[in-house]
Amino acid sequence: MAQNIYDRPDFLEGYSRLPRSVEGLDGANEWPAMRALLPELRGSRVLDLGCGFGWFCRWAHLQGAASVRGIDVSARMLARAVAESPAEVTYQQADLETVELPVAAYDLAYSSLALHYVEDVGRLFRQIHLALAPGGSFVFSTEHPIFMAPSKPGWVTDPDGRTTWPLDRYLVEGIRKTHWFVDGVVKHHRVIGTTFTRLVQAGFTVTALQEFAPRPEQIAARPELAVEVERPMFLLMRARR
Ligand SMILES: C[S@@+](CC[C@H](N)C(=O)[O-])C[C@H]1O[C@@H](n2cnc3c(N)ncnc32)[C@H](O)[C@@H]1O
């Protein structure tokens, strides 16, 4: 059963102030890299897993998708998604740990930064594989395991002035409880090999894997992003059914 932290008002208040919550896709540093992984959407049936405020769902609709459905466990995230979306975009409240998806109903399954909240990702990948039509694509981002693994995630400045990310417990998979707006946010750490293996076991062919780094022009526009090249924050993958 999911924690559903996004329905906690104090968490949601903080999350709602992030650039990605205010500006949408353009406020997400990894969006250009995600977009480059996507197939042509015109005429496609699109599923967004952990859709949040529905920014990607609306974008997919504008690209000419034949249908767009967003799924999220948070009633509060979905309430804003519904309020800001045209009626053709549909939403469903469901937990990705237990969701049952219709068979061969989608051409693209998309998920942005939601899978690290899911414990049984193998079950979810099998559901997504079933839900895609043959040749369909699964494109997702998740927090990178190097970002998620440490017992004390956060930048450290060593005596020489070097900024480093204190990686420990990388090979110890399982729950990580962190502070993000509130204490006790639960995430599920997996090494890259496990994510890759679960995809292959579900029947997918992995066709892209990227460890996101901000591009030079992004760092030029926002110099505070320069530190992000010290370790990857996001893992981006594409797989084909
Ligand atoms: C970081 S937000 C990302 C939202 C959106 N995909 C985006 O990129 O802007 C993570 C989203 O995943 C949802 N989520 C987390 N755990 C979930 C679960 N077990 N089932 C469904 N949705 C979940 C949260 O409610 C939240 O809306």
Side-chain angles (χ1 to χ4, degrees), residues 40-47 56-69 88-89 107-108:
E40 166 68 40
L41 291 193
R42 184 160 298 281
S44 293
R45 298 161 295 169
V46 175
L47 176 66
F56 177 77
C57 291
R58 289 187 289 280
W59 182 84
H61 176 66
L62 287 175
Q63 301 308 302
S67 67
V68 185
R69 186 163 186 80
E88 297 94 322
V89 177
D107 304 299
L108 170 69

Side-chain angles (χ1 to χ4, degrees), residues 7-21:
D7 265 351
R8 259 185 64 170
D10 47 355
F11 178 93
L12 186 61
E13 203 267 322
Y15 183 79
S16 298
R17 280 189 271 109
L18 292 178
R20 68 179 59 235
S21 301

Side-chain angles (χ1 to χ4, degrees), residues 1-7 11-12 15 18 20-21 24-25 28 30 34 48-56 71-75 77-78 92-99 110-119 124 141 143 180 186:
M1 167 114 188
Q3 181 187 35
N4 195 6
I5 196 83
Y6 288 73
D7 265 351
F11 178 93
L12 186 61
Y15 183 79
L18 292 178
R20 68 179 59 235
S21 301
L25 300 175
E30 76 286 8
M34 282 290 272
D48 184 355
L49 301 144
C51 62
F53 292 137
W55 295 104
F56 177 77
I71 292 180
D72 204 285
V73 73
S74 163
M77 297 296 280
L78 285 174
Q92 175 190 353
Q93 186 177 14
D95 183 350
L96 297 179
E97 298 283 6
T98 54
V99 68
Y110 176 89
S111 183
S112 164
L113 300 180
L115 296 185
H116 48 271
Y117 297 111
V118 176
E119 182 174 12
L124 180 60
S141 62
E143 280 188 9
W180 193 38
V186 174

Side-chain angles (χ1 to χ4, degrees), residues 11-196:
F11 178 93
L12 186 61
E13 203 267 322
Y15 183 79
S16 298
R17 280 189 271 109
L18 292 178
R20 68 179 59 235
S21 301
V22 177
E23 300 160 34
L25 300 175
D26 291 337
N29 296 322
E30 76 286 8
W31 169 240
M34 282 290 272
R35 184 176 177 169
L37 293 178
L38 292 171
E40 166 68 40
L41 291 193
R42 184 160 298 281
S44 293
R45 298 161 295 169
V46 175
L47 176 66
D48 184 355
L49 301 144
C51 62
F53 292 137
W55 295 104
F56 177 77
C57 291
R58 289 187 289 280
W59 182 84
H61 176 66
L62 287 175
Q63 301 308 302
S67 67
V68 185
R69 186 163 186 80
I71 292 180
D72 204 285
V73 73
S74 163
R76 291 175 197 264
M77 297 296 280
L78 285 174
R80 180 171 156 192
V82 170
E84 296 183 1
S85 300
E88 297 94 322
V89 177
T90 62
Y91 292 100
Q92 175 190 353
Q93 186 177 14
D95 183 350
L96 297 179
E97 298 283 6
T98 54
V99 68
E100 299 278 340
L101 299 171
V103 174
Y106 300 102
D107 304 299
L108 170 69
Y110 176 89
S111 183
S112 164
L113 300 180
L115 296 185
H116 48 271
Y117 297 111
V118 176
E119 182 174 12
D120 191 353
V121 84
R123 179 197 177 277
L124 180 60
F125 288 170
R126 289 193 295 278
Q127 277 291 312
I128 294 168
H129 191 268
L130 282 172
L132 284 170
S137 301
F138 177 28
V139 175
F140 65 87
S141 62
T142 183
E143 280 188 9
H144 195 288
I146 289 177
F147 179 78
M148 214 180 346
S151 36
K152 288 189 182 164
W155 296 112
V156 174
T157 306
D158 70 17
D160 299 330
R162 272 198 60 79
T163 300
T164 55
W165 187 256
L167 178 61
D168 66 341
R169 303 185 74 217
Y170 183 77
L171 294 170
V172 183
E173 298 187 311
I175 285 182
R176 296 293 188 273
K177 280 193 181 169
T178 59
H179 178 89
W180 193 38
F181 307 120
V182 299
D183 285 336
V185 177
V186 174
K187 300 189 253 186
H188 298 276
H189 166 63
R190 278 176 287 275
V191 300
I192 294 178
T194 297
T195 300
F196 179 89

